Amino acid sequence: PRIPPLCAHAAGILLLLRPGTERKMRPSTQPRCFAGLVVVLSLFWGLQCGSGANVRTCPSPCVCSGELVDCSRLKRGQIPERIPEWTVTLKLTHNELEAIPDLGPRASNITTLLLANNRIAGIFPEQLQPFLALETLDLSNNAIADVRAASFPALPLKNLFLNNNRISSLETGCFTNLSSSLQVLRLNRNRLSTIPAKIFQLPNLQHLELSRNRVRRVEGLTFHGLHALRSLRMQRNGLSRLMDGALWGLSNMEVLQLDYNNLTEVNKGWLYGLLTLQQLHLSHNAISRIQPDAWEFCQKLAELNLSSNHLSRLEESSFSGLSLLQELHVGNNRVSFIADGAFRGLSNLQMLDLQKNEISWTIEDMNGPFSALEKLKRLFLQGNQIRSVTKESFSGLDALQHLDLSNNAIMSVQANAFSQIRNLQELRLNTSSLLCDCQLKWLPVWVAEQTFLPSVNASCAHPQMLKGRSVFAVSQDEFVCDDFPKPQITVQPETQSALKGSNVTFICSAASSSDSPMTFSWKKDNEVLNKAEIHNQAHLRIQAGAGGDTEVTEYTTTLQLHTVDFSSEGKYQCVISNHFGSSYSTKARLTVNSKREQNLGGVFSRMRRC
């Protein structure tokens, strides 16, 4: 038989050390020094190489490594009839096999059988019965159309891979004989359109993969019986509906991946029972709503991915109960409204991704919108149409280390807008729209002091003489304040109390030295009033300044509310914008009283005077 390389080396050394060799060596290297080595090598030869009974011969034309015999990419006639008895892992991939091969008595020693990329069309118990020690079976990329009852005999199988077949049905009881051992089951890239309820009676299964099938709806109790399951993958199924209790029974689940489906909302009905869930991936769906009590059963979540959905609002209750959440992905949505307390309760959040939404007003107008996120380290806000940053935009973010504001046409940054972020290590900012007036003097100095220059690319758009120049190339004397192209609020709307059924008017004015066209809008409780009655007017006035008189355009916008009732109560605010940015007025409160309340108020007023 073929002599293994290690035996050949041992034989060569023994020949060199045959009797008489020591006489040719120097006195310091005579027999006493080699006696031990000769004994050890002789024992090795006798035990491992000499008898020939224990020599591991690799059958031609296969390739062997350790206890692996790889007979892949051979024609059926070239596969050896006799597999060595020492074989533990047998690889027979890409061989055009049409059935699980008969290996005779050698099959009982094999623990891993790899049969991927063949032409096997069915699974039959008599073909698998000889594999008494089998723990891993890979039948991926074959032509299997269904899995019938009792397809698998009672085997100690732990890992079963059936990816990329033509499986369209699973018969009841098809995995019953594997219930005591199976831990990993992969059924990706098949043709399953339904999953029968309680089909998986596999109490030891830990990982189940059903991605790239055709499952559109999952009924209640579908996965009942998978008490040990830790991860479930069902991406790219076109899944549109998870019925109440669809995932009930998965009390040890840690990871649930449902990306690239057609789910439209998150509610506690289909999340019922997921008490240990730590990661939930819902990206690339059509989710437009998160029910107020959605997370009642998932309060151990550490990572939540809702990116690339249809969310337009983040309500105060959107993330209620997720106090252990560390990563939140809401990028690539349509978010234009964030309630004041939307992030309240996320006390352990360390990463927040809000990129590519429409939340400019959150940064420009809200007072500390992220102040509840005391442990936040990374905040991604790129691509949100943000035009101005105020000194309150990032207040409360003491732990923040990475802030990304790139791909926003930012025009103004108030002094000390970032100074409250004491631990900031990286700031990403690129804009060519800055108003380089005297209020921006601080920015290039601060950026240089903080060593953020490599990740900040900022240039001027106004005044004309500085247009296109980097702010880091503008001297302090060149930042001037002779004009104010961005609107400045001159008249604020006033808080009012009105009688039910009466009419109410709010007035707001702003001035600008630019002739850039103005747009006007009104908000109620932070939401734009799209159907309100609004009247706008403009007039010119002359304003005296240090550099001489300046022609200023003053704009007035009026909001008319007719026949107000109790639903009209709230906080009203005007927003006046032009090419250089937006200005937000203070919020005026409207209180509506009934006639009885007004009369009582008059009585109490007279009593106080008495």
Side-chain angles (χ1 to χ4, degrees):
R2 187 189 310 171
I3 298 175
L6 189 57
C7 295
H9 290 311
I13 295 172
L14 282 171
L15 286 172
L16 287 172
L17 298 180
R18 66 188 184 278
T21 305
E22 68 274 9
R23 289 193 296 273
K24 301 177 183 178
M25 300 187 178
R26 291 177 298 183
S28 60
T29 59
Q30 285 188 349
R32 185 166 56 89
C33 301
F34 286 92
L37 179 59
V38 172
V39 170
V40 170
L41 288 173
S42 298
L43 286 171
F44 175 82
W45 175 264
L47 291 174
Q48 301 293 330
C49 311
S51 66
N54 293 321
V55 174
R56 292 186 172 181
T57 303
C58 188
S60 180
C62 302
V63 177
C64 301
S65 176
E67 296 175 327
L68 164 67
V69 176
D70 185 353
C71 300
S72 299
R73 299 185 182 278
L74 306 176
K75 293 181 180 180
R76 278 173 288 177
Q78 293 180 334
I79 297 174
E81 294 182 1
R82 291 180 59 83
I83 299 297
E85 61 181 3
W86 46 264
T87 305
V88 173
T89 300
L90 179 59
K91 188 175 181 181
L92 294 170
T93 62
H94 297 90
N95 282 320
E96 301 182 1
L97 294 173
E98 295 179 356
I100 297 172
D102 181 3
L103 303 178
R106 300 290 192 263
S108 62
N109 296 326
I110 294 175
T111 62
T112 301
L113 180 59
L114 308 177
L115 295 168
N117 295 283
N118 282 288
R119 298 179 180 178
I120 299 170
I123 305 171
F124 302 99
E126 60 271 16
Q127 295 175 353
L128 289 171
Q129 189 68 57
F131 296 91
L132 301 177
L134 195 62
E135 294 182 353
T136 298
L137 175 60
D138 187 354
L139 287 166
S140 301
N141 293 282
N142 276 282
I144 301 167
D146 53 26
V147 184
R148 298 178 181 177
S151 290
F152 298 94
L155 298 173
L157 206 60
K158 294 181 180 178
N159 307 296
L160 177 57
F161 307 146
L162 294 169
N163 295 336
N164 211 356
N165 276 278
R166 304 171 187 174
I167 300 171
S168 59
S169 64
L170 302 172
E171 286 190 10
T172 302
C174 59
F175 302 117
T176 299
N177 289 332
L178 305 178
S179 62
S180 63
S181 60
L182 198 62
Q183 297 178 13
V184 178
L185 176 57
R186 295 177 182 169
L187 285 160
N188 302 320
R189 292 181 179 269
N190 277 284
R191 301 176 183 179
L192 292 169
S193 58
T194 59
I195 304 175
K198 302 182 181 180
I199 191 70
F200 302 111
Q201 295 302 302
L202 299 167
N204 294 299
L205 196 70
Q206 296 183 23
H207 305 284
L208 175 59
E209 299 182 8
L210 291 161
S211 297
R212 293 184 181 270
N213 278 276
R214 303 171 183 178
V215 181
R216 304 290 187 265
R217 176 184 173 115
V218 179
E219 303 293 340
L221 304 179
T222 293
F223 299 103
H224 187 263
L226 297 174
H227 308 301
L229 199 69
R230 292 171 55 195
S231 70
L232 172 61
R233 296 180 60 182
M234 288 190 69
Q235 298 112 313
R236 298 183 185 273
N237 268 276
L239 190 63
S240 60
R241 191 78 184 273
L242 290 167
M243 303 303 294
D244 289 354
L247 302 170
W248 187 81
L250 304 179
S251 56
N252 287 299
M253 178 98 88
E254 296 176 356
V255 180
L256 176 58
Q257 295 178 291
L258 296 170
D259 315 86
Y260 292 94
N261 281 292
N262 293 321
L263 297 173
T264 58
E265 75 168 18
V266 182
N267 64 68
K268 71 175 182 179
W270 61 265
L271 290 170
Y272 179 70
L274 300 181
L275 300 176
T276 59
L277 194 64
Q278 296 179 25
Q279 296 180 28
L280 178 58
H281 299 266
L282 293 167
S283 68
H284 296 88
N285 275 274
I287 296 170
S288 60
R289 187 182 182 193
I290 303 173
Q291 294 281 9
D293 53 357
W295 313 112
E296 181 177 342
F297 304 108
C298 302
Q299 298 190 7
K300 291 189 177 180
L301 271 181
E303 181 179 348
L304 174 59
N305 192 335
L306 289 162
S307 59
S308 299
N309 275 281
H310 298 166
L311 290 170
S312 60
R313 304 169 60 87
L314 298 182
E315 306 285 358
E316 189 172 354
S317 60
S318 291
F319 308 110
S320 179
L322 298 180
S323 61
L324 300 181
L325 198 66
Q326 296 179 20
E327 290 190 18
L328 176 58
H329 302 260
V330 199
N332 289 277
N333 275 274
R334 305 169 183 174
V335 178
S336 59
F337 172 82
I338 300 179
D340 284 338
F343 302 119
R344 189 178 300 126
L346 300 179
S347 54
N348 283 292
L349 198 69
Q350 297 185 27
M351 194 283 286
L352 175 58
D353 179 6
L354 283 166
Q355 64 179 300
K356 295 183 180 178
N357 280 282
E358 301 167 11
I359 59 168
S360 56
W361 70 270
T362 301
I363 305 301
E364 297 172 0
D365 182 50
M366 288 183 70
N367 186 12
F370 309 109
S371 58
L373 304 177
E374 298 176 354
K375 295 184 179 180
L376 195 68
K377 293 182 179 179
R378 294 181 293 159
L379 178 58
F380 299 92
L381 294 169
Q382 57 265 44
N384 266 288
Q385 304 174 33
I386 299 168
R387 297 205 289 176
S388 63
V389 180
T390 73
K391 61 183 179 182
E392 298 297 330
S393 296
F394 305 111
S395 62
L397 295 179
D398 295 337
L400 196 67
Q401 298 176 2
H402 176 101
L403 174 60
D404 195 336
L405 287 166
S406 57
N407 299 324
N408 287 292
I410 293 176
M411 298 180 177
S412 63
V413 185
Q414 285 188 4
N416 303 315
F418 307 118
S419 61
Q420 298 182 55
I421 314 175
R422 300 181 181 89
N423 292 299
L424 194 63
Q425 298 175 8
E426 184 177 18
L427 172 64
R428 292 191 173 275
L429 174 67
N430 62 328
T431 176
S432 57
S433 305
L434 287 172
L435 301 178
C436 292
D437 56 17
C438 59
Q439 297 181 23
L440 198 70
K441 281 185 176 183
W442 70 278
L443 183 63
V445 176
W446 179 85
V447 169
E449 289 175 349
Q450 300 297 319
T451 66
F452 293 150
L453 278 172
S455 57
V456 175
N457 184 4
S459 57
C460 304
H462 188 85
Q464 188 64 33
M465 63 180 182
L466 298 178
K467 186 174 182 179
R469 286 176 58 181
S470 169
V471 294
F472 305 107
V474 178
S475 67
Q476 292 288 294
D477 294 339
E478 291 179 287
F479 289 99
V480 294
C481 286
D482 288 342
D483 60 357
F484 49 98
K486 178 182 174 180
Q488 294 185 358
I489 302 292
T490 56
V491 176
Q492 304 281 0
E494 296 183 352
T495 291
Q496 300 183 48
S497 179
L499 188 64
K500 181 181 177 182
S502 63
N503 298 330
V504 173
T505 300
F506 286 106
I507 298 174
C508 179
S509 297
S512 170
S513 60
S514 168
D515 59 359
S516 174
M518 289 284 182
T519 59
F520 309 88
S521 61
W522 283 84
K523 290 184 175 184
K524 178 193 173 188
D525 296 332
N526 294 328
E527 294 194 66
V528 176
L529 295 169
N530 293 315
K531 297 182 180 180
E533 183 182 332
I534 300 173
H535 302 283
N536 306 314
Q537 59 182 2
H539 68 272
L540 294 174
R541 64 178 173 84
I542 303 299
Q543 177 171 300
D549 293 343
T550 303
E551 192 175 75
V552 174
T553 306
E554 191 164 61
Y555 302 85
T556 299
T557 178
T558 303
L559 172 66
Q560 297 280 354
L561 302 178
H562 297 282
T563 319
V564 297
D565 56 20
F566 298 119
S567 66
S568 305
E569 291 188 326
K571 295 179 180 178
Y572 290 82
Q573 177 186 36
C574 78
V575 183
I576 302 180
S577 309
N578 67 3
H579 173 72
F580 296 96
S582 301
S583 290
Y584 300 78
S585 74
T586 57
K587 296 174 183 178
R589 179 180 290 278
L590 173 63
T591 303
V592 178
N593 300 314
S594 65
K595 291 183 178 180
R596 181 172 180 272
E597 290 171 330
Q598 190 177 45
N599 292 336
L600 287 173
V603 171
F604 289 137
S605 177
R606 288 192 293 274
M607 289 175 64
R608 283 195 296 272
R609 286 197 298 271
C610 293

